[in-house]
Amino acid sequence: MRGEHTHSDPVPPEGAGGHAVRRHSVRGQVLDALRDALVGGELVPGEIYSAPALGERFGVSATPVREAMQQLALEGAVRVVPNRGFRVNERSTRELAELAEVRAMIEVPVMLRLARSVPAEQWAALRPLAEATGAAAAVGDRAAYADSDRAFHRAVLALAGNQQLVMVAEDLHRRSQWPLVSVPAPRQADLVADAAEHSALLDALIAHDLTAVQSLVREHFTGAAG
């Protein structure tokens, strides 16, 4: 899992600035590792995890773990349990459905607009990102799939030239990837099918097939891996 190598980070430059950079780097790596563990099912909804125990797991002190967990708390993934640690939030299928609905409300109109104006060669340039989701799905790597899935959608929406849109959509997307305690994790076959929708969406965008674009995006959001 990403983050476990943080104890061997290069020695930062001398001075307070170097220390700040290193601390930020470690915290960022721990945050990435915790997000991967969350999506991958290693952090179980309803369970409580202490910063010292997670720090030992990642080979870092408890401080960057607490800082990373505080960020996850702000995002709604966990909540603080005084004197114990952090509890992974349990979510409902209704919440997941609401996220899918909001994502569709935001992204479908944008993609339809882009389908009318973006040339085929720009869509074709995104093919490697779609293929990356397929590669992660093929080996059943849920954390890698989640990362590549967001990267694909981020690149598509970036073509709209609205950074605020990209940031809002990214937050909604990340939250939609958190596991549900009452629903089994996506099977490898589900990931493969979901990844195939990325390539199908690119084909529809290149062909300016607005009906197919709208249908594919809505189905993609309500799918197992979204």
Side-chain angles (χ1 to χ4, degrees), residues 159-173:
L159 294 175
N162 186 329
Q163 184 58 32
Q164 298 304 313
L165 165 70
V166 174
M167 292 171 59
V168 170
E170 173 90 356
D171 177 63
L172 292 169
H173 195 166

Side-chain angles (χ1 to χ4, degrees), residues 37-83:
L38 183 66
V39 172
E42 296 171 61
L43 296 182
V44 181
E47 294 293 320
I48 296 175
Y49 299 89
S50 73
L54 289 171
E56 183 177 351
R57 177 177 175 178
F58 298 151
V60 299
S61 71
T63 299
V65 175
R66 289 195 186 94
E67 292 172 345
M69 278 294 201
Q70 290 290 349
Q71 177 59 37
L72 288 179
L74 290 174
E75 295 174 5
V78 303
R79 65 179 181 275
V80 178
V81 180
N83 302 317

Side-chain angles (χ1 to χ4, degrees), residues 2-10 12 18-34 55 58-68:
R2 291 186 305 178
E4 293 182 348
H5 62 285
T6 52
H7 61 289
S8 60
D9 283 348
H19 177 74
V21 169
R22 183 181 185 280
R23 179 172 175 177
H24 178 75
S25 175
V26 172
R27 179 179 59 193
Q29 291 181 58
V30 171
L31 180 59
D32 285 343
L34 289 171
F58 298 151
V60 299
S61 71
T63 299
V65 175
R66 289 195 186 94
E67 292 172 345

Side-chain angles (χ1 to χ4, degrees), residues 103 107 111 126 129 133 145 147-159 166 169-170 173 177 194 198 201 216-217 220-221 225-226:
R103 288 185 67 200
E107 295 194 35
M111 290 195 190
L126 302 186
L129 294 176
T133 65
Y145 181 85
D147 287 345
S148 58
D149 187 26
R150 290 196 312 278
F152 174 81
H153 284 267
R154 186 165 57 244
V156 169
L157 295 177
L159 294 175
V166 174
E170 173 90 356
H173 195 166
Q177 294 174 329
D194 199 70
H198 292 141
L201 176 59
L216 283 165
V217 174
H220 189 64
F221 289 164

Side-chain angles (χ1 to χ4, degrees), residues 39 91 96 100 103 142 145-146 149 173 176-180 183-195 197 218-226:
V39 172
R91 303 186 308 136
L96 190 62
R103 288 185 67 200
R142 282 181 282 161
Y145 181 85
D149 187 26
H173 195 166
S176 73
Q177 294 174 329
W178 299 337
L180 297 174
V183 178
R187 299 171 303 166
Q188 183 173 345
D190 295 327
L191 295 179
V192 170
D194 199 70
E197 293 175 356
R218 290 186 181 279
E219 291 177 6
H220 189 64
F221 289 164
T222 56

